[in-house]
Amino acid sequence: MDTLYKQSPMRIVRRVSQTSLIRTAFDATSTAADVVTGQNLTGVRAIVTGATSGLGRETARALASVGADVTLAVRNTALGTSVAEDIAASTGTRTVRVAHLDLADLATVTRFTDTWDGPLHLLINNAGVMRPALGRTPQGWELQFATNHLGHFALALGLHDALAAGANQQGTARIVAVTSGAHMYSPVVFDDIHFTHRAYDPQLAYGQSKTANSLFAVEATRRWAADGIVANAVNPGGVSTGLQRDFTQDMKDHLDRLEAAGVFAYKTIEQGAATALVAATAPEFAHNGGHYLDDGNEAVTVPDHVDLAGNSHAVKRWARDAASAQQLWEVSLDLVRQR
């Protein structure tokens, strides 16, 4: 479960009051097409990671449908080419490109960022993995954290200048970090991020990586606001995608219990992609960063001790904590520089 636009530049404001949450015209029933209807993104350059299926594919399709120049950043370029052709055929656009990117292999991230040319206006960090068994990168990093957070962190870092150029050109550049309600299962455990000493739990590992996605949005906005770059985290909600392909029966049963208890209701892929497109294109988030969005709106922040049940549309404090966000940035910077 996973669970611009030409604007004039203005000072970026981070709202923290629970009584002034940012609201939009969209909700849980909105679709990707609903969000982009009436928009014209001609001249907007976007990157969508993990765009060969599911939420990434639908996000890319919606952006292309209103004129954006979209690059599908994918591991399987042959499949990516097929998806690009399908998007072109269904939207009538030819501005869909394909580039190789494996977020678990930072050498490919570097090649991608080194070969990117020109400004960038939208970076949609959508790709992700959910692994039932412990996996590690060649550096020894836990695979879910390495893919879901560190790869995207390195990607954004390498594309900073392109995003700054995009902001200078259009008035703003946006990063969208796809997180999940699973962030409620774990903070970032700085003492043992990679499960070197503690017993591996795939749910905790995934939750930690999703908390990291949210913390990235907080710190990226703090550091890059002066460059016109904002980052927001989005929870797509419960969507059945390829992310669940490797689930064990216990993991499937766990989701079934949560659904039966009313913790979440499954959305269509079109509905799941809507919140990412709100963060990417809605005027309410053109100059507002560091937020966590759910069902198209900024979510309420709840204490760390609460359970997922009854709070599935909220964000825990540990996923928005400024000190943790700064610490994660420094830890991540050290890791990607030591590779």
Side-chain angles (χ1 to χ4, degrees), residues 16-188:
V16 297
S17 171
Q18 301 290 293
T19 60
S20 61
L21 297 174
I22 301 173
R23 317 310 295 171
T24 72
F26 306 105
D27 59 25
T29 66
S30 301
T31 65
D34 292 335
V35 177
V36 300
T37 294
Q39 298 200 49
N40 181 357
L41 300 190
T42 301
V44 171
R45 302 181 74 199
I47 294 170
V48 183
T49 68
T52 53
S53 65
L55 299 173
R57 181 172 182 159
E58 181 59 23
T59 300
R61 183 191 303 279
L63 292 171
S65 73
V66 288
D69 183 324
V70 182
T71 295
L72 313 182
V74 299
R75 287 184 297 177
N76 186 334
T77 53
L79 180 56
T81 298
S82 175
V83 170
E85 291 172 350
D86 174 72
I87 292 175
S90 65
T91 62
T93 182
R94 292 292 167 186
T95 57
V96 184
R97 312 167 200 281
V98 179
H100 181 245
L101 178 70
D102 182 348
L103 291 164
D105 181 354
L106 292 191
T108 75
V109 177
T110 299
R111 282 196 294 272
F112 183 96
T113 59
D114 284 351
T115 56
W116 181 266
D117 184 41
L120 175 63
H121 308 101
L122 286 176
L123 173 59
I124 314 294
N125 290 338
N126 163 83
V129 297
M130 185 184 289
R131 296 288 298 272
L134 176 61
R136 295 196 183 278
T137 68
Q139 297 89 347
W141 303 336
E142 191 277 316
L143 191 60
Q144 295 191 82
F145 186 82
T147 303
N148 300 348
H149 169 64
L150 288 175
H152 280 129
F153 174 81
L155 180 66
L157 209 62
L159 292 170
H160 168 269
D161 290 351
L163 287 162
N168 185 60
Q169 182 185 73
Q170 296 271 17
T172 183
R174 311 191 203 189
I175 304 172
V176 179
V178 177
T179 181
S180 166
H183 82 272
M184 289 196 166
Y185 292 136
S186 177
V188 174

Side-chain angles (χ1 to χ4, degrees), residues 202-238:
Q203 184 170 269
L204 294 182
Y206 183 70
Q208 174 180 245
S209 74
K210 295 291 100 179
T211 292
N213 293 150
S214 180
L215 291 175
F216 165 79
V218 172
E219 184 65 4
T221 298
R222 188 186 75 84
R223 289 176 179 254
W224 295 348
D227 301 320
I229 303 167
V230 295
N232 285 293
V234 303
N235 176 15

